[in-house]
Amino acid sequence: MDEVSARHDRPFEFEEQAMILIDDRGNTEDREVRRYAREWDNGLYRYLLVFDSPAGVRGVALLTWQNKGASDDQWMHLPAYGREMKRSADGGKRNYFMGTDFAFEDMTSEEREKFRYDRQPDETFEIKDETGSVLDTVDGYVVDAYPKDEELASQTGYQYRRLYVSKDRFFIRRIDFFDRRGRFLKTQYSWDMEQIEGDTWRANRVLMDNDKLNHQTLIQVKSRDLTEGSVPARMFEQRWVTTGRHLR
Amino acid sequence: MQKFLTFGVNHRGIAIAIIAAITIFCGFGLDKLRIDTSFDSLISDNDPTKQVYERVKEEFGSDNTTIVYARSSELWTQDRLAALEDMHFALEDLPFVQRVDSLFNVRSIRDRDGMIDSSTVLDGVPFDDAEMQTARDNALYSPLVVGNFISADGIVTAINVTIVKDPDNPNFDHYAYGAIDEAIAPYADQFEEIFQVGPPRVNADTETGLISDLSLLAPLSLGVLTVTIVLFLRSGLALVFPVITSAISLVWGFGLMGYFGIPINILSAMLPSLVIVIGSTEDTHMLSTYLNGIHSGDKQGTGAQRRRYAVLFLIRHLGLPLVLTAVTTTLGFAANSFAEMGLMRNFAYAASIAIAANGVITLMLVPSLLSLFGPLRSNLHNKSPKQEVSDPEEEGYRGLIGAILKLCYAAARHPRYVIGGTVVFTVFFGIFAFQTKVSNDPIAFFKPKHPLVQDVNTLAETLSGMEIFYINLSSTKPDAFRNPENLRRLAQIKDYIVQDGRFDTALSIADHLSLVNREFHGGDVEMMVVPDTIALVDQYLLFFQRADLENYISHDFERANMVVRHNIHNSHDLKQALVDLDREVRRIAGPDLTVNLVGQNLMINNAADDLIAAQVQSVGLLLLVIFIIMSIVYSSLVGGFLSLVPNILPIIAVLGIMGLFGIPLNPGTATVAVIAIGIAIDDTIHLLSSYTHESLRTADRGLAVRRTVRGQAVPAISTSIALAAGFLVLSGSSFSIIWQFGALSAVAMIVAMIADLIVTPVLMSMVRLVGLYEILTLKVGKDVLTNSPLFTNMTSYQIRKAILLSELVPFKAGDRLLEQGTIGRDLYVILSGSAAVTLDHSHGHTELDTLAAGAVLGEVGFITQQQRTANVDAVTDGEMLRLNADTVQKNMRLYPHIANKLNLNIARILGMRLASTSNRLSRYEKQEGLT
C-alpha cells in the first residue's frame, strides 16, 4: 500500500468533473463540479468541492478539513440559503455524499496507519462500465483493508474494503465495499487511465456501482491540474466561499 | 322430462354406473383444486384506476407493504436495537423484498447548535449510552419518523417491508408470510410484542380461516341436518340419502372446479354446508312424498313392487317441481356470475356447479336408491290414516305445527289484515333497506376478535394504519415539482389531511424539503415550510439519496406522489373520506395538475360499489327468470307475479335488517338475496303446484287453499327450519362476512316460510291460478281438446287461455249433469266418460244423443239465460270442464280474438244443433205423416 501511495499521491490536485447519477431505470442526472485538494500539515488534506451546474445548484460548495486523530471538519455553502457556511455535525463519514453513491469517507485520502491491510491471493479482476460491460481484465494484487483504529471503526460504514491493485502500475483499479456487517455493498471501478508524470497515474473515469441501492455514480474527469498554483491555500478557507470567489 | 326422471328407476344399473363414472372422473379433478385468497379477486376487472395504479406502482414502488411491529419498553438498549438491525437485514435478504425501511435507513436531518447533522436515524447500533440517547432523540424528533417508524412514546418501532409479488406463484402470499415470519422469529423473544401485518398476513390468515371453515362447517351442517331430518321425517334411513347425494355433489362440484380452474375462496369454503343444507331440502321433499306413496299404495304387493309404486308416485307428484326448484336454485347461485368482482364470480361458478350437480344427482340417484332400499313403513303415517277430509280445518295437527296451521287458516280468513300487514312490513323494512351501506374490505371480513384485526388496530393506535394509498399529482411541465408553488400545493394537501383527521399520516417530498428548511433555521417549527425558491429546493435536495425520495418524486420532477396511511376498514366511511379528499386535492391542485388517487386498498373499496350493481343485476335477473318460468308454467302473468311475492318479502326483510343493525352489504351478504330467492322459491313452487292440484278437486278456493297449506305446511316448516338452522351453523366461521351471510340467510328462510304460508295463500285465494292445460293434456290427451267443437280452429295458446277460465268437474255414472227446465249459465266439455241427452215430455222421455269425450253441452244456457232444454245424465264415471258465461265474458275482454273464436264455435255448435234438431223434427213429422 505504501507503494501505491508513493507512486500516486500528490499534494496538489484540481479536477473538473462531470458527475452523472444513474438510477435503476437508467435515468440520469448530470452535474458539473470542480474538486480542489491540497495536502496540509502532517500529510492531512483539505478539499473544496464546487458545483457549477445544473443551474439550481451552481455555487454550492463543500469544504472539508481532515483532522489528526479527530473527525473531519466540514462546512457547506448553499447560495440559495444565504452567504454563510453551515457547519456539518461530525460523524458523517459514512453518509453518502450529495446524493451520489460515494460516502464522504470514499472521497478523502486514506490514513494508512489507521488500517490493517490483509494480503489476499492475487487475482485477475474485471473492470466494468456503467452498463455492466467488461472493459478490461487486470492482473492484480488483492488486499483487504480493515480499520484498526477503534474510533475509525466506529465511524466507518465498512467492515472492510477489498482493494484490487493492478500489478503493472500499483494503481487501485477496483474496490469492493463490504458494509459494517460484512455484506457486499458496492464496487468502485477506475478506468480510462492517464499517465500524469513518472509512475503517477490517474483514472479519468470512476464508477461507483451501488448494488444495494441499485444506483450508480459515474465521474468523468474533464481536466486536471496537479500544480500548486491551481490550489492556493487561501482557497480552503470559509471566506473564499462566503465572498463568492469560488464562483466562476 | 318424464323419461329423465324415471330413468333412475327404469335403468338403475346404468344410472348408478353413470354417476359412479362421473364421480371418479371428478375425483381426479380434486387434485387440481387451488385456493385463492388474493386481493386481486376483490378488485373489479373494470376498475378505471387499475391502469393508472399499475403505472404509479411501477414508478413509485409497490404499495404492497408489510409492517413488522415490535414493542419493547427497553427498546433503546443495545440488545433490542441489535435484534432490530438483524431483523432489518434478514428481511432485506428475502428474495421478494423490494425495499426495507426502518430506523436504520430512514433519513434524519437535524440542526445541532447551528451545525447540520444529516444521517440515518440509526446508523448501526449505538455504542454507548450517550449515542443511544442521541439516537432516541433523533428518532422522536423527526416528523417524518414519528408515527411511521417510532411511536410517540418511543417504545414501538416498525420495519416496513415493501414486497413485489411473484405473479406466477399462486401461493405467493402464504410463502411470503411464512418467510417474513421466519425472518423475524429468531428475534421475537427480544420484544414484548412483535407481529407482521400486511397483504401476505391477511391472505395467509384468510386461507387458514378458510380451511378451518371447511373442516368445521361441513360436520356442523351435517349435525344440523341429522337432527332436523330425524325430527321431521322420523326415519334414520332418510338421513343416508342426503349424505350420499351431498358427498357425491361435492366431489363433482370441487372436481369440476379443479378442471375448470375455479379456485376455492372464502365464500366457496361454505359450499359443503350449502350443498348439504340446500340439497337435503330436495331429499326431504322426495322422501316425504315417497313415504306418502308407500302409505297410499297397495300394502299387499312385494317390497320391490311397493317401492316401485311409491317412487313412481313420487315422480308423478314431484317431477316438475323438483326440476323447477333445481333450476331456480342453480340460477340463484349463478346470478352472480356476472359480478365484476372475481371473488363473487368464482363463488357463483362454484356454487352453481355444485348445486346443479346436486340436482342431477338427486333426481337420478334418489329414485334409484329408493326403489332398491326405500323404507316400506312410514312413521309419518302411523296415526289414523289420512282420508279425504272435507275440510282440513277439522283435522287435527297438534303441537307447534297445529298452532302454525291455525294461524295460517286464521290469516286466510282475514286477507285484508294479511295484505295490510304485508304492506306495513314492506314499508318498514324497505325504509331501512335504503340505509344499508356497502363494504368490501379484507380486514372487515374477519370477526373483530380475530388476532389479525387486533394487530391491525394495535398498529394503527400506536403508529399509523396498515392501509396505504397514493395521491399522485402529475404535470406536463418539466421540473414542475421543483417549483415551490407546486410543492406548497402538496403541503396544503397534507394540511387538509391532518386537519381532517380521518387518515393517519401523509408523506410527500414537500415534507422532506420542509424538514431540511426547518433544520437550516435552527429547528424552528415555524420554518417547517416548503423553501421559497427553486434554487433552494435544488440545494436542499442534495441532502437526499435518490432512494430516500423514489417513493415520492419522479426522476424528472414532473410527477409527485403522496403516501397516505389509514386504518379505515369500512368502505362507506372510506369512500366518504375519499370523496372529500379528492375534491380538496383537485381544488388545491388546480387545473394544471392531474390528480389520481390510487392504491390496491382503494380499488378493493371501489369494488364495494360493484356489490350494489351486482346485487341489483343478479336479483333482477333471477326474479325475471323466475317470473318468466312461472308465468309459462301457469300460462299466466298473475301466476308469475304470485311466485315472486313470497320471495321479494325476505329480500326486503334482509336488506331492512342490514340497514337497521348496520350490517354492510359485503361480498358475503350480497349473495344472500339471490341465494334466498333460489331456495325460497322451492317452497313456493311446491305450494303453487299443490294448489293447482287442489283447485282441480274443488271449486271452493278457500278450501283448496286450506288443503294446500295443510299439505305443504310440514315440508315447508321443516325445510325452512332445517335451512335456517343450517345457515346459522355458518356463525361458527372465522369470518364476519360468513356469519353475517348465515344469520341473514336464516332470517330470509324464516321470512320466506311465513310469506309462503300466510301471504301466498291469501294471494292465491284471490286469483284463479291453475296450470290446468298441462294437467289436462297429461290426463286426457291433447286430441280431446283440439278435436272438441268448442275449440275448433283455435291455437293451443288460445285453447289454454280459455281453459284457464274453466274448472274441472268430476262425475259418476248416473249423476245428472244438466236438468231440463233449470236455469244455468254454465257450458261443459266432456273430457272423459260419456253422458246421455234425454228430453222429458208429456209422453215420457226420449233419448236424444250420447255424448263422448270432446262433446259440448249446456251451450244454449251459456248464450242466453234460459231454461235447460234437455237432461244430461252421466252414463259412465268421467270428468268435464265447466265454463261459466259470466266469468268468460268478464275475462275475455282483454282477448277479443279468443272470445270471437269461442263465440263463433259456440254459434257453430248451436247451428249444428239446430240443423240436427230440424232434421230430427222433419223425420218426426215424416214419421207422423204430417208432410
Side-chain angles (χ1 to χ4, degrees):
Chain A
M1 293 311 298
D2 291 337
E3 178 67 19
V4 172
S5 173
R7 285 197 189 199
H8 306 296
D9 285 358
R10 282 288 176 276
F12 316 108
E13 188 151 6
F14 161 63
E15 283 176 350
E16 284 182 307
Q17 302 177 341
M19 186 186 274
I20 303 161
L21 309 186
I22 307 165
D23 75 8
D24 54 347
R25 267 162 251 194
N27 299 311
T28 57
E29 183 185 332
D30 296 355
R31 298 167 175 176
E32 282 175 22
V33 300
R34 283 171 279 141
R35 181 171 182 268
Y36 303 88
R38 184 181 172 109
E39 189 175 350
W40 228 253
D41 313 325
N42 316 323
L44 295 171
Y45 279 79
R46 291 186 181 183
Y47 303 93
L48 176 68
L49 192 88
V50 181
F51 283 75
D52 287 327
S53 84
V57 295
R58 185 176 128 81
V60 170
L62 187 78
L63 177 64
T64 309
W65 291 1
Q66 278 189 316
N67 288 320
K68 187 85 192 163
S71 53
D72 300 346
D73 287 327
Q74 205 166 57
W75 296 266
M76 179 178 277
H77 172 68
L78 302 184
Y81 172 72
R83 287 177 58 182
E84 64 187 283
M85 289 214 77
K86 199 91 180 163
R87 174 103 185 255
S88 295
D90 60 314
K93 246 183 188 326
R94 57 179 179 255
N95 287 321
Y96 287 111
F97 164 80
M98 304 235 151
T100 68
D101 296 285
F102 292 91
F104 281 101
E105 60 184 314
D106 303 337
M107 311 199 41
T108 53
S109 81
E110 190 164 311
E111 295 173 76
R112 286 192 305 284
E113 68 276 14
K114 289 187 177 171
F115 289 90
R116 185 185 85 227
Y117 296 98
D118 292 350
R119 177 86 185 266
Q120 303 295 321
D122 292 358
E123 223 178 279
T124 303
F125 58 93
E126 291 176 335
I127 302 294
K128 293 182 187 170
D129 70 3
E130 67 276 16
T131 65
S133 345
V134 178
L135 297 169
D136 205 356
T137 44
V138 181
D139 200 14
Y141 309 108
V142 182
V143 179
D144 286 352
Y146 287 87
K148 64 180 179 199
D149 177 276
E150 203 158 294
E151 197 190 345
L152 178 69
S154 75
Q155 286 173 357
T156 177
Y158 314 120
Q159 188 184 76
Y160 70 101
R161 290 164 300 143
R162 178 159 292 174
L163 313 176
Y164 294 85
V165 182
S166 69
K167 286 184 177 171
D168 51 357
R169 296 162 188 158
F170 277 88
F171 193 91
I172 302 173
R173 297 287 305 273
R174 171 174 157 180
I175 307 172
D176 290 347
F177 296 83
F178 295 83
D179 68 14
R180 287 156 68 91
R181 306 159 55 82
R183 291 157 6 136
F184 174 64
L185 179 63
K186 59 183 183 179
T187 300
Q188 173 183 311
Y189 299 102
S190 303
W191 73 94
D192 195 2
M193 304 302 297
E194 184 183 347
Q195 191 164 20
I196 305 301
E197 54 174 37
D199 285 340
T200 304
W201 288 75
R202 284 290 181 269
N204 284 332
R205 283 169 200 251
V206 178
L207 174 73
M208 187 64 94
D209 186 354
N210 194 326
D211 185 66
K212 187 169 169 186
L213 296 179
N214 277 319
H215 197 267
Q216 296 172 318
T217 304
L218 176 65
I219 290 175
Q220 294 180 28
V221 178
K222 298 204 280 197
S223 70
R224 178 180 283 119
D225 190 340
L226 300 186
T227 61
E228 186 176 3
S230 64
V231 285
R234 64 181 183 283
M235 212 175 224
F236 300 90
E237 301 293 338
Q238 290 185 52
R239 271 184 55 77
W240 179 266
V241 176
T242 55
T243 53
R245 271 178 287 173
H246 68 299
L247 294 174
R248 272 194 165 161
Chain B
M1 194 167 71
Q2 289 294 315
K3 263 189 192 160
F4 169 72
L5 290 171
T6 50
F7 188 82
V9 190
N10 295 333
H11 308 278
R12 272 195 304 246
I14 303 176
I16 291 173
I18 291 175
I19 287 178
I22 298 178
T23 308
I24 290 167
F25 170 76
C26 291
F28 286 108
L30 291 176
D31 227 22
K32 304 180 176 25
L33 199 58
R34 62 185 179 86
I35 292 179
D36 178 19
T37 58
S38 75
F39 286 173
D40 292 338
S41 68
L42 297 176
I43 294 172
S44 283
D45 300 340
N46 303 324
D47 192 303
T49 65
K50 210 171 188 173
Q51 271 188 322
V52 183
Y53 166 74
E54 290 299 333
R55 208 183 62 223
V56 170
K57 192 171 80 168
E58 172 68 23
E59 178 155 33
F60 295 99
S62 168
D63 60 342
N64 186 339
T65 302
T66 283
I67 296 163
V68 177
Y69 168 107
R71 178 170 60 85
S72 167
S73 46
E74 316 251 284
L75 183 64
W76 297 93
T77 56
Q78 289 198 350
D79 290 347
R80 306 294 174 277
L81 291 184
L84 205 62
E85 190 182 28
D86 286 342
M87 259 193 305
H88 178 116
F89 288 111
L91 290 166
E92 220 166 51
D93 283 346
L94 297 175
F96 52 84
V97 169
Q98 188 177 46
R99 61 180 286 160
V100 175
D101 292 292
S102 75
L103 294 173
F104 288 93
N105 63 345
V106 64
R107 187 149 298 278
S108 153
I109 290 171
R110 187 168 184 184
D111 168 82
R112 284 197 184 284
D113 308 324
M115 294 191 287
I116 284 292
D117 182 1
S118 164
S119 63
T120 50
V121 172
L122 278 175
D123 197 357
V125 178
F127 282 85
D128 53 37
D129 290 351
E131 238 185 283
M132 189 67 79
Q133 193 56 41
T134 311
R136 185 173 184 278
D137 285 352
N138 275 349
L140 289 171
Y141 181 75
S142 169
L144 275 55
V145 176
V146 178
N148 278 311
F149 297 101
I150 190 81
S151 63
D153 58 8
I155 63 168
V156 176
T157 186
I159 304 178
N160 294 0
V161 187
T162 306
I163 286 167
V164 178
K165 194 171 169 167
D166 174 4
D168 298 328
N169 181 355
N171 293 320
F172 176 81
D173 286 306
H174 216 258
Y175 156 70
Y177 170 69
I180 292 173
D181 234 23
E182 223 167 90
I184 61 179
Y187 316 102
D189 57 352
Q190 295 277 338
F191 299 93
E192 285 140 33
E193 188 178 13
I194 186 163
F195 59 78
Q196 60 162 311
V197 287
R201 160 99 185 262
V202 176
N203 286 310
D205 279 10
T206 306
E207 196 177 320
T208 311
L210 182 158
I211 290 166
S212 94
D213 268 17
L214 274 174
S215 51
L216 172 77
L217 298 182
L220 265 179
S221 306
L222 265 182
V224 168
L225 178 76
T226 312
V227 171
T228 41
I229 285 189
V230 170
L231 217 61
F232 286 108
L233 288 180
R234 297 182 203 157
S235 158
L237 194 65
L239 185 62
V240 175
F241 297 102
V243 171
I244 292 176
T245 51
S246 301
I248 298 177
S249 307
L250 288 173
V251 173
W252 285 28
F254 284 124
L256 290 174
M257 281 165 71
Y259 282 120
F260 292 139
I262 302 166
I264 301 187
N265 57 38
I266 61 170
L267 294 180
S268 42
M270 61 182 171
L271 217 51
S273 299
L274 286 178
V275 169
I276 291 169
V277 169
I278 296 168
S280 67
T281 61
E282 302 287 15
D283 297 318
T284 312
H285 276 291
M286 289 173 90
L287 280 161
S288 148
T289 312
Y290 166 85
L291 292 174
N292 282 335
I294 286 289
H295 179 70
S296 67
D298 180 7
K299 303 275 187 303
Q300 307 309 318
T302 64
Q305 283 169 337
R306 291 180 59 201
R307 286 190 183 105
R308 189 177 160 77
Y309 172 81
V311 170
L312 292 176
F313 177 89
L314 149 74
I315 291 170
R316 202 165 54 242
H317 280 81
L318 272 189
L320 178 71
L322 277 178
V323 172
L324 279 180
T325 55
V327 168
T328 49
T329 310
T330 305
L331 282 173
F333 283 98
N336 276 317
S337 357
F338 301 106
E340 289 193 11
M341 202 189 294
L343 179 76
M344 292 180 71
R345 218 169 37 227
N346 281 332
F347 173 60
Y349 296 151
S352 46
I353 289 175
I355 297 290
N358 187 262
V360 172
I361 293 163
T362 303
L363 289 174
M364 275 180 87
L365 197 60
V366 173
S368 302
L369 294 177
L370 280 174
S371 70
L372 274 175
F373 312 110
L376 289 170
R377 274 198 55 209
S378 160
N379 294 332
L380 279 182
H381 302 88
N382 54 3
K383 292 176 202 154
S384 65
K386 240 193 278 173
Q387 284 305 319
E388 281 303 311
V389 186
S390 56
D391 192 324
E393 263 191 280
E394 292 145 25
E395 191 202 8
Y397 262 113
R398 271 184 290 273
L400 179 67
I401 290 178
I404 294 175
L405 277 177
K406 269 202 188 116
L407 186 72
C408 297
Y409 298 150
R413 276 195 302 271
H414 301 96
R416 287 189 185 167
Y417 290 134
V418 171
I419 291 174
T422 308
V423 170
V424 171
F425 173 93
T426 309
V427 170
F428 177 80
F429 284 103
I431 288 170
F432 284 106
F434 280 101
Q435 293 169 19
T436 305
K437 306 198 164 71
V438 288
S439 183
N440 185 36
D441 184 282
I443 298 295
F445 290 175
F446 288 88
K447 288 180 172 172
K449 285 196 172 147
H450 193 282
L452 171 65
V453 181
Q454 309 247 317
D455 287 351
V456 166
N457 289 332
T458 304
L459 172 75
E461 281 153 23
T462 45
L463 295 160
S464 306
M466 173 189 86
E467 306 299 344
I468 292 177
F469 69 87
Y470 297 149
I471 301 174
N472 196 266
L473 300 181
S474 64
S475 168
T476 48
K477 295 195 179 115
D479 290 324
F481 287 94
R482 290 185 197 271
N483 188 332
E485 197 186 323
N486 285 332
L487 292 169
R488 269 194 290 276
R489 291 190 166 127
L490 286 170
Q492 278 173 42
I493 293 169
K494 167 147 182 175
D495 289 345
Y496 165 78
I497 289 172
V498 170
Q499 199 193 347
D500 179 62
R502 282 177 283 184
F503 301 107
D504 294 346
T505 54
L507 274 185
S508 75
I509 187 163
D511 298 291
H512 292 76
L513 291 168
S514 302
L515 178 66
V516 183
N517 197 46
R518 180 179 94 174
E519 298 313 306
F520 261 77
H521 292 87
D524 179 359
V525 281
E526 292 291 307
M527 297 309 291
M528 185 74 195
V529 290
V530 168
D532 293 334
T533 62
I534 295 180
L536 197 52
V537 168
D538 280 349
Q539 292 167 24
Y540 283 166
L541 282 171
L542 292 172
F543 284 91
F544 298 99
Q545 290 289 111
R546 179 75 196 129
D548 297 331
L549 300 177
E550 64 188 1
N551 289 345
Y552 306 104
I553 191 78
S554 67
H555 73 98
D556 57 5
F557 284 74
E558 283 183 23
R559 292 167 298 284
N561 198 44
M562 183 177 283
V563 180
V564 184
R565 279 174 63 179
H566 69 90
N567 192 40
I568 306 172
H569 293 287
N570 168 327
S571 301
H572 182 263
D573 294 351
L574 179 58
K575 194 174 160 60
Q576 196 50 55
L578 285 168
V579 166
D580 296 345
L581 177 66
D582 189 71
R583 191 188 52 238
E584 262 327 281
V585 171
R586 281 175 204 284
R587 187 185 63 74
I588 294 168
D592 294 341
L593 299 176
T594 310
V595 176
N596 281 301
L597 272 57
V598 294
Q600 194 174 43
N601 170 247
L602 299 193
M603 291 195 290
I604 292 172
N605 278 280
N606 285 345
D609 288 343
D610 296 337
L611 290 175
I612 298 179
Q615 178 88 117
V616 171
Q617 198 180 346
S618 52
V619 169
L621 184 73
L622 187 61
L623 290 178
L624 183 71
V625 169
I626 289 177
F627 178 72
I628 292 170
I629 292 180
M630 298 308 277
S631 295
I632 291 171
V633 168
Y634 294 107
S635 303
S636 146
L637 296 181
V638 175
F641 174 73
L642 207 58
S643 322
L644 295 186
V645 172
N647 296 291
I648 291 174
L649 288 178
I651 297 176
I652 295 172
V654 162
L655 290 173
I657 286 172
M658 287 166 71
L660 200 57
F661 293 100
I663 300 171
L665 189 69
N666 56 38
T669 55
T671 56
V672 173
V674 280
I675 294 171
I677 301 174
I679 300 170
I681 189 75
D682 292 8
D683 276 337
T684 313
I685 289 171
H686 286 291
L687 204 67
L688 292 180
S689 147
S690 163
Y691 179 59
T692 58
H693 278 285
E694 297 298 341
S695 292
L696 287 175
R697 290 166 49 201
T698 172
D700 180 349
R701 286 178 199 160
L703 181 63
V705 165
R706 283 194 293 279
R707 281 183 182 164
T708 303
V709 170
R710 187 206 59 201
Q712 291 300 308
V714 174
I717 294 169
S718 61
T719 53
S720 297
I721 290 177
L723 283 165
F727 280 122
L728 281 178
V729 158
L730 297 176
S731 59
S733 164
S734 320
F735 303 102
S736 37
I737 59 168
I738 304 287
W739 84 252
Q740 286 165 350
F741 167 86
L744 290 170
S745 297
V747 167
M749 293 302 109
I750 299 300
V751 175
M753 175 187 86
I754 295 169
D756 268 331
L757 291 180
I758 291 181
V759 184
T760 312
V762 168
L763 293 175
M764 281 193 310
S765 68
M766 294 179 137
V767 292
R768 172 80 197 187
L769 174 79
V770 182
L772 200 49
Y773 182 73
E774 280 71 19
I775 291 153
L776 288 185
T777 50
L778 209 71
K779 233 178 197 168
V780 298
K782 215 174 167 183
D783 292 351
V784 174
L785 295 173
T786 48
N787 292 339
S788 166
L790 185 61
F791 301 121
T792 307
N793 290 334
M794 285 170 78
T795 64
S796 68
Y797 169 74
Q798 291 169 328
I799 295 175
R800 199 180 312 193
K801 287 310 292 188
I803 284 177
L804 280 175
L805 301 170
S806 66
E807 227 172 282
L808 193 69
V809 184
F811 55 81
K812 292 219 152 53
D815 284 357
R816 170 141 297 186
L817 309 179
L818 287 186
E819 171 108 40
Q820 187 180 353
T822 59
I823 293 181
R825 301 226 48 193
D826 293 337
L827 173 149
Y828 300 90
V829 181
I830 294 182
L831 297 172
S832 62
S834 60
V837 185
T838 58
L839 190 69
D840 286 346
H841 45 80
S842 44
H843 317 292
H845 64 269
T846 313
E847 190 162 328
L848 293 180
D849 206 354
T850 304
L851 304 174
V856 177
L857 53 144
E859 69 282 351
V860 179
F862 187 83
I863 299 292
T864 58
Q865 190 170 350
Q866 64 166 60
Q867 292 181 349
R868 299 288 192 196
T869 52
N871 293 312
V872 180
D873 296 295
V875 177
T876 63
D877 289 358
E879 283 178 312
M880 58 185 185
L881 212 54
R882 175 166 63 200
L883 280 124
N884 180 273
D886 294 333
T887 319
V888 171
Q889 218 165 24
K890 212 162 36 182
N891 288 288
M892 277 297 159
R893 262 180 236 138
L894 292 174
Y895 306 98
H897 282 297
I898 303 179
N900 214 10
K901 283 217 172 140
L902 215 50
N903 286 334
L904 193 69
N905 284 340
I906 292 172
R908 197 177 286 143
I909 295 167
L910 281 171
M912 273 156 56
R913 199 78 85 213
L914 193 62
S916 91
T917 308
S918 341
N919 224 354
R920 205 178 299 128
L921 204 61
S922 75
R923 254 199 338 263
Y924 174 74
E925 282 168 352
K926 218 182 260 174
Q927 209 177 332
E928 297 287 311
L930 291 175
T931 41

